[in-house]
């Protein structure tokens, strides 16, 4: 498969080298932002931020057949393990169904749960794509469900910060 330059609507067309440099810059900026935010977050939030950074980077780098699956699997598995840790340490499900949380906190749980549920078919279809056994219909479904999972995770990630008040307040 031959790579063709991407035109982002600017005068300059990106070459493979330019694209790699921009992706490296994005990754470095993500690390710096995550490091800065770590001064304000709980350890669980830091782990969730790492998972989100992997998912977001994986989506941006979706055309890289070797890097995309690794980033996405790391983000998904980190997210799932974090949910299990929160359940064991804090009885997260019991807290969620008790309705003792604020609306943004309840929405965080709802959107995060939806993302976790979407991860299941996305992961399955992604593995089929990696193995080369996915049909065109399955490939398209993988993309659609993946976008939905990331959208739910993004909303959950943003609303996660509503727990800072509860944690520190």
């Amino acid at each position: 498969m031959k790579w063709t330059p991407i035109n982002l609507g600017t005068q300059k067309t990106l070459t493979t080298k330019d694209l790699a440099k921009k992706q490296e810059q994005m990754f470095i900026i993500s690390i710096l932002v995550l490091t800065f935010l770590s001064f304000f977050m709980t350890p669980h939030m830091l782990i969730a931020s790492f998972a989100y950074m992997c998912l977001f980077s994986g989506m941006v780098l979706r055309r890289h057949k070797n890097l995309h699956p690794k980033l996405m699997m790391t983000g998904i598995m980190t997210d799932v393990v974090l949910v299990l840790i929160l359940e064991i340490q804090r009885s997260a499900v019991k807290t969620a169904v008790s309705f003792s949380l604020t609306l943004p906190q309840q929405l965080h749980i709802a959107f995060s749960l939806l993302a976790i549920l979407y991860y299941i078919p996305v992961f399955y279809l992604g593995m089929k794509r990696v193995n080369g056994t996915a049909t065109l219909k399955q490939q398209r479904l993988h993309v659609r469900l993946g976008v939905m999972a990331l959208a739910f995770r993004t909303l959950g990630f943003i609303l996660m910060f509503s727990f800072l008040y509860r944690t520190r307040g």
Side-chain angles (χ1 to χ4, degrees):
M1 183 170 113
K2 187 175 178 180
W3 186 85
T4 56
I6 299 171
N7 189 338
L8 298 176
T10 61
Q11 299 292 358
K12 184 178 176 186
T13 301
L14 294 176
T15 63
T16 304
K17 191 174 184 178
D18 291 335
L19 186 60
K21 186 174 182 176
K22 287 206 176 285
Q23 291 166 346
E24 183 180 312
Q25 290 170 347
M26 182 192 75
F27 183 73
I28 291 169
I29 289 169
S30 298
I31 294 292
L32 291 174
V33 168
L34 193 57
T35 303
F36 172 74
L37 289 175
S38 70
F39 291 104
F40 306 101
M41 294 190 280
T42 66
H44 293 113
M45 289 179 174
L46 190 59
I47 294 167
S49 297
F50 169 77
Y52 184 77
M53 183 183 71
C54 288
L55 294 169
F56 184 79
S57 299
M59 183 66 84
V60 170
L61 301 172
R62 65 189 172 274
R63 305 251 185 253
H64 293 257
K65 299 205 183 293
N66 291 329
L67 193 53
H68 171 77
K70 291 175 186 173
L71 285 167
M72 297 308 278
M73 285 194 298
T74 301
I76 288 171
M77 290 304 153
T78 303
D79 238 2
V80 170
V81 168
L82 180 59
V83 168
L84 294 174
I85 289 170
L86 288 170
E87 176 55 33
I88 292 167
Q89 288 182 347
R90 297 183 180 177
S91 300
V93 172
K94 184 178 177 184
T95 303
V97 297
S98 72
F99 292 103
S100 62
L101 302 174
T102 65
L103 180 61
Q105 292 167 344
Q106 290 176 353
L107 288 173
H108 158 74
I109 291 169
F111 287 130
S112 297
L113 177 62
L114 284 169
I116 295 285
L117 292 175
Y118 270 76
Y119 288 162
I120 297 165
V122 169
F123 185 82
Y124 171 74
L125 293 168
M127 292 308 297
K128 287 186 70 100
R129 287 188 79 161
V130 167
N131 295 333
T133 59
T135 65
L136 185 59
K137 186 176 179 179
Q138 289 172 329
Q139 290 175 18
R140 289 180 180 156
L141 184 60
H142 170 75
V143 171
R144 288 185 186 121
L145 294 176
V147 168
M148 290 300 296
L150 186 65
F152 288 133
R153 189 65 199 108
T154 299
L155 291 169
F157 179 73
I158 292 167
L159 291 168
M160 169 185 76
F161 293 100
S162 66
F163 281 93
L164 280 176
Y165 176 75
R166 181 173 186 251
T167 303
R168 302 201 182 216

